Amino acid sequence: MGEAAALNSSNSQQAERDEQRAQANRDELVERINRAIREEGNVEPLPGIRLYRHSSPTEMGHGIADPALAVIAQGSKELYLGEEHYRYDPYHYCLGTVELPVTSRIIEASKERPYLCFRLALDPTLVGSVMTETGHTAPPSDADAKALIVTTIDATLLDAVVRLVRLIDTPSEAPILSPLINREIIYRLLMGRQGDRLRHIAIMSGFTPPIARAIERLRKSFDQPLRIDDVAQEVGMSVSGFHHHFKAVTAMTPLQFQKQLRLQEARRLMLGEDIDATSAAFSVGYSD
């Protein structure tokens, strides 16, 4: 056998071992989440970790996506961010790096095979710390990286997620080991193909590039009239440049972003506080 053939054979065998390891981890993740949450809904068994279970598909729901890593153990889900559409399953993870208004629904779930999902909140201070320790700095152009992405999960990241979920069964070990595994997960994300997106989270931890400041301003004052010229001036950008960079990160124009925030708050008021549509509209800033 020639050297090239031997190398190809070795690579093929390694890929097969990696897939076997990944499948074993996927199976274990299903088993552990299934055991940890028996009822419909979600639980937080450890700080920052939330597990979800649904036995049937859901209607489209509206909410704010916080900075987090989501890994589906069983089933599938789809998300809409502006005009962007994402779908993920046990072979992909979803990474969100800033708070964004999204719509989503579970599209694959049944009583026999319920939708099971793991979600890890990503702490900006911890992300910034890991970035500093690794010397990972993103070039300025990466500020335009989309703030939400779905991509293939690799074996090393999945392995770390499974080890974190195992700690649910050993609560005495969790306070010591979970911070270490959290750090490892952030490191794996940082070193992966989507690592530069974590720059958004580090930005929120202390740095203040223009788009991060603009997102924060719109979130805090979504019920106030929006003058694009004023926001662009506040963050030190031209109006056209502000529009371009804002949409590159959020998949929405600033006005669309504000509209989504207003609509979601209006829905919350109408459904959660039994407020009529007209009152809810006025409460979120619509005078018409």
Side-chain angles (χ1 to χ4, degrees):
M1 181 183 295
E3 290 185 9
L7 180 60
N8 288 337
S9 176
S10 176
N11 290 340
S12 177
Q13 291 173 0
Q14 183 60 50
E16 184 177 350
R17 287 193 294 270
D18 288 344
E19 175 53 32
Q20 290 174 348
R21 171 189 171 197
Q23 187 57 53
N25 277 329
R26 285 191 288 267
D27 292 342
E28 181 177 350
L29 195 59
V30 169
E31 191 275 330
R32 288 186 177 275
I33 295 179
N34 194 44
R35 191 170 66 229
I37 177 169
R38 297 288 189 178
E39 304 295 330
E40 297 288 289
N42 63 85
V43 297
E44 187 176 13
L46 294 173
I49 296 174
R50 192 162 289 277
L51 304 178
Y52 297 81
R53 181 191 185 100
H54 290 277
S55 297
S56 62
T58 63
E59 297 294 327
M60 195 69 76
H62 304 264
I64 300 295
D66 297 325
L69 165 70
V71 176
I72 291 177
Q74 188 166 264
S76 63
K77 184 176 185 177
E78 64 179 1
L79 298 167
Y80 288 87
L81 173 65
E83 298 177 354
E84 302 284 338
H85 171 249
Y86 304 90
R87 176 173 175 166
Y88 66 114
D89 53 31
Y91 297 90
H92 301 83
Y93 68 86
C94 179
L95 176 66
T97 55
V98 299
E99 294 184 3
L100 295 170
V102 299
T103 56
S104 65
R105 64 175 178 173
I106 296 166
I107 56 178
E108 185 181 349
S110 66
K111 290 184 178 180
E112 295 74 22
R113 292 179 56 83
Y115 169 86
L116 302 171
C117 182
F118 160 93
R119 180 182 178 279
L120 176 66
L122 298 176
D123 176 59
T125 302
L126 182 57
V127 172
S129 172
V130 176
M131 288 184 71
T132 300
E133 289 183 22
T134 59
H136 186 281
T137 56
S141 62
D142 282 323
D144 282 353
K146 200 79 79 211
L148 188 146
I149 192 67
V150 169
T151 193
T152 304
I153 188 167
D154 62 66
T156 55
L157 177 59
L158 181 60
D159 182 70
V161 168
V162 171
R163 283 187 281 111
L164 187 57
V165 173
R166 284 175 189 161
L167 293 178
I168 295 171
D169 293 333
T170 55
S172 62
E173 297 179 357
I176 303 300
L177 297 181
S178 63
L180 301 177
I181 303 177
N182 278 345
R183 206 172 190 86
E184 179 188 346
I185 287 174
I186 291 171
Y187 174 80
R188 299 292 181 193
L189 290 171
L190 197 59
M191 295 297 107
R193 288 179 297 173
Q194 307 301 334
D196 287 335
R197 296 175 193 276
L198 291 187
R199 184 172 183 265
H200 293 140
I201 299 178
I203 284 169
M204 300 303 180
S205 181
F207 302 102
T208 53
I211 300 307
R213 296 206 308 272
I215 289 172
E216 188 66 12
R217 183 192 187 284
L218 266 63
R219 284 185 54 253
K220 289 182 176 179
S221 58
F222 67 87
D223 58 343
Q224 302 299 312
L226 177 61
R227 287 180 50 83
I228 301 300
D229 291 12
D230 292 345
V231 180
Q233 185 176 16
E234 284 180 26
V235 299
M237 301 179 73
S238 68
V239 173
S240 61
F242 173 61
H243 263 284
H244 170 78
H245 292 291
F246 191 94
K247 190 168 185 179
V249 172
T250 68
M252 289 173 270
T253 67
L255 287 172
Q256 289 171 331
F257 187 89
Q258 181 195 53
K259 179 182 177 181
Q260 287 299 314
L261 292 176
R262 285 180 167 185
L263 290 175
Q264 292 198 16
E265 176 61 11
R267 289 188 186 96
R268 187 193 68 80
L269 291 172
M270 293 170 65
L271 297 174
E273 301 185 21
D274 198 26
I275 293 178
D276 64 85
T278 300
S279 299
F282 278 110
S283 296
V284 301
Y286 288 113
S287 58
D288 183 330

PDB file of all heavy atoms in Angstrom, residues 65-79:
ATOM      1  N   ALA A  65     -34.002  35.998  22.008  1.00  0.00           N
ATOM      2  CA  ALA A  65     -32.932  35.008  22.107  1.00  0.00           C
ATOM      3  C   ALA A  65     -31.745  35.623  22.850  1.00  0.00           C
ATOM      4  O   ALA A  65     -31.152  36.588  22.383  1.00  0.00           O
ATOM      5  CB  ALA A  65     -32.501  34.556  20.707  1.00  0.00           C
ATOM      6  N   ASP A  66     -31.445  35.083  24.028  1.00  0.00           N
ATOM      7  CA  ASP A  66     -30.301  35.548  24.806  1.00  0.00           C
ATOM      8  C   ASP A  66     -29.018  34.888  24.304  1.00  0.00           C
ATOM      9  O   ASP A  66     -29.065  33.861  23.626  1.00  0.00           O
ATOM     10  CB  ASP A  66     -30.501  35.196  26.285  1.00  0.00           C
ATOM     11  CG  ASP A  66     -31.713  35.885  26.878  1.00  0.00           C
ATOM     12  OD1 ASP A  66     -31.978  37.029  26.484  1.00  0.00           O
ATOM     13  OD2 ASP A  66     -32.386  35.265  27.717  1.00  0.00           O
ATOM     14  N   PRO A  67     -27.858  35.453  24.648  1.00  0.00           N
ATOM     15  CA  PRO A  67     -26.594  34.789  24.291  1.00  0.00           C
ATOM     16  C   PRO A  67     -26.540  33.391  24.896  1.00  0.00           C
ATOM     17  O   PRO A  67     -26.588  33.227  26.116  1.00  0.00           O
ATOM     18  CB  PRO A  67     -25.533  35.707  24.906  1.00  0.00           C
ATOM     19  CG  PRO A  67     -26.180  37.050  24.969  1.00  0.00           C
ATOM     20  CD  PRO A  67     -27.632  36.759  25.288  1.00  0.00           C
ATOM     21  N   ALA A  68     -26.492  32.383  24.052  1.00  0.00           N
ATOM     22  CA  ALA A  68     -26.552  31.012  24.549  1.00  0.00           C
ATOM     23  C   ALA A  68     -26.120  30.031  23.476  1.00  0.00           C
ATOM     24  O   ALA A  68     -26.128  30.327  22.276  1.00  0.00           O
ATOM     25  CB  ALA A  68     -27.968  30.672  25.020  1.00  0.00           C
ATOM     26  N   LEU A  69     -25.755  28.839  23.940  1.00  0.00           N
ATOM     27  CA  LEU A  69     -25.512  27.685  23.080  1.00  0.00           C
ATOM     28  C   LEU A  69     -26.673  26.724  23.271  1.00  0.00           C
ATOM     29  O   LEU A  69     -27.003  26.371  24.404  1.00  0.00           O
ATOM     30  CB  LEU A  69     -24.199  26.997  23.474  1.00  0.00           C
ATOM     31  CG  LEU A  69     -23.983  25.583  22.910  1.00  0.00           C
ATOM     32  CD1 LEU A  69     -23.732  25.641  21.403  1.00  0.00           C
ATOM     33  CD2 LEU A  69     -22.828  24.884  23.628  1.00  0.00           C
ATOM     34  N   ALA A  70     -27.291  26.295  22.170  1.00  0.00           N
ATOM     35  CA  ALA A  70     -28.385  25.326  22.248  1.00  0.00           C
ATOM     36  C   ALA A  70     -28.014  24.089  21.452  1.00  0.00           C
ATOM     37  O   ALA A  70     -27.602  24.191  20.290  1.00  0.00           O
ATOM     38  CB  ALA A  70     -29.682  25.934  21.728  1.00  0.00           C
ATOM     39  N   VAL A  71     -28.158  22.933  22.095  1.00  0.00           N
ATOM     40  CA  VAL A  71     -27.862  21.648  21.450  1.00  0.00           C
ATOM     41  C   VAL A  71     -29.092  20.769  21.585  1.00  0.00           C
ATOM     42  O   VAL A  71     -29.551  20.499  22.696  1.00  0.00           O
ATOM     43  CB  VAL A  71     -26.644  20.965  22.100  1.00  0.00           C
ATOM     44  CG1 VAL A  71     -26.407  19.587  21.475  1.00  0.00           C
ATOM     45  CG2 VAL A  71     -25.398  21.829  21.953  1.00  0.00           C
ATOM     46  N   ILE A  72     -29.627  20.320  20.468  1.00  0.00           N
ATOM     47  CA  ILE A  72     -30.789  19.438  20.477  1.00  0.00           C
ATOM     48  C   ILE A  72     -30.315  17.994  20.589  1.00  0.00           C
ATOM     49  O   ILE A  72     -29.452  17.553  19.832  1.00  0.00           O
ATOM     50  CB  ILE A  72     -31.628  19.623  19.199  1.00  0.00           C
ATOM     51  CG1 ILE A  72     -32.298  21.002  19.214  1.00  0.00           C
ATOM     52  CG2 ILE A  72     -32.678  18.526  19.068  1.00  0.00           C
ATOM     53  CD1 ILE A  72     -33.085  21.309  17.955  1.00  0.00           C
ATOM     54  N   ALA A  73     -30.883  17.271  21.542  1.00  0.00           N
ATOM     55  CA  ALA A  73     -30.560  15.855  21.695  1.00  0.00           C
ATOM     56  C   ALA A  73     -31.471  14.992  20.830  1.00  0.00           C
ATOM     57  O   ALA A  73     -31.047  13.965  20.286  1.00  0.00           O
ATOM     58  CB  ALA A  73     -30.683  15.436  23.160  1.00  0.00           C
ATOM     59  N   GLN A  74     -32.736  15.446  20.684  1.00  0.00           N
ATOM     60  CA  GLN A  74     -33.712  14.673  19.919  1.00  0.00           C
ATOM     61  C   GLN A  74     -34.773  15.626  19.382  1.00  0.00           C
ATOM     62  O   GLN A  74     -35.210  16.541  20.070  1.00  0.00           O
ATOM     63  CB  GLN A  74     -34.357  13.632  20.838  1.00  0.00           C
ATOM     64  CG  GLN A  74     -35.254  12.618  20.153  1.00  0.00           C
ATOM     65  CD  GLN A  74     -35.561  11.457  21.079  1.00  0.00           C
ATOM     66  OE1 GLN A  74     -34.914  10.407  21.054  1.00  0.00           O
ATOM     67  NE2 GLN A  74     -36.561  11.634  21.931  1.00  0.00           N
ATOM     68  N   GLY A  75     -35.172  15.421  18.120  1.00  0.00           N
ATOM     69  CA  GLY A  75     -36.155  16.295  17.507  1.00  0.00           C
ATOM     70  C   GLY A  75     -35.485  17.363  16.665  1.00  0.00           C
ATOM     71  O   GLY A  75     -34.283  17.305  16.387  1.00  0.00           O
ATOM     72  N   SER A  76     -36.254  18.369  16.275  1.00  0.00           N
ATOM     73  CA  SER A  76     -35.695  19.475  15.499  1.00  0.00           C
ATOM     74  C   SER A  76     -36.531  20.726  15.701  1.00  0.00           C
ATOM     75  O   SER A  76     -37.683  20.674  16.133  1.00  0.00           O
ATOM     76  CB  SER A  76     -35.601  19.124  14.007  1.00  0.00           C
ATOM     77  OG  SER A  76     -36.891  18.891  13.468  1.00  0.00           O
ATOM     78  N   LYS A  77     -35.931  21.862  15.345  1.00  0.00           N
ATOM     79  CA  LYS A  77     -36.545  23.164  15.594  1.00  0.00           C
ATOM     80  C   LYS A  77     -36.163  24.111  14.472  1.00  0.00           C
ATOM     81  O   LYS A  77     -35.108  23.947  13.849  1.00  0.00           O
ATOM     82  CB  LYS A  77     -36.049  23.710  16.947  1.00  0.00           C
ATOM     83  CG  LYS A  77     -36.673  25.016  17.395  1.00  0.00           C
ATOM     84  CD  LYS A  77     -36.161  25.384  18.788  1.00  0.00           C
ATOM     85  CE  LYS A  77     -36.857  26.635  19.312  1.00  0.00           C
ATOM     86  NZ  LYS A  77     -36.417  26.958  20.692  1.00  0.00           N
ATOM     87  N   GLU A  78     -37.008  25.108  14.232  1.00  0.00           N
ATOM     88  CA  GLU A  78     -36.645  26.131  13.263  1.00  0.00           C
ATOM     89  C   GLU A  78     -36.802  27.515  13.883  1.00  0.00           C
ATOM     90  O   GLU A  78     -37.650  27.730  14.752  1.00  0.00           O
ATOM     91  CB  GLU A  78     -37.465  26.014  11.980  1.00  0.00           C
ATOM     92  CG  GLU A  78     -38.947  26.244  12.121  1.00  0.00           C
ATOM     93  CD  GLU A  78     -39.667  26.134  10.782  1.00  0.00           C
ATOM     94  OE1 GLU A  78     -38.988  25.853   9.762  1.00  0.00           O
ATOM     95  OE2 GLU A  78     -40.885  26.321  10.746  1.00  0.00           O
ATOM     96  N   LEU A  79     -35.940  28.427  13.420  1.00  0.00           N
ATOM     97  CA  LEU A  79     -35.900  29.788  13.925  1.00  0.00           C
ATOM     98  C   LEU A  79     -35.962  30.756  12.763  1.00  0.00           C
ATOM     99  O   LEU A  79     -35.437  30.480  11.677  1.00  0.00           O
ATOM    100  CB  LEU A  79     -34.602  30.050  14.702  1.00  0.00           C
ATOM    101  CG  LEU A  79     -34.292  29.245  15.953  1.00  0.00           C
ATOM    102  CD1 LEU A  79     -32.838  29.452  16.339  1.00  0.00           C
ATOM    103  CD2 LEU A  79     -35.194  29.685  17.087  1.00  0.00           C
TER     104      LEU A  79
END
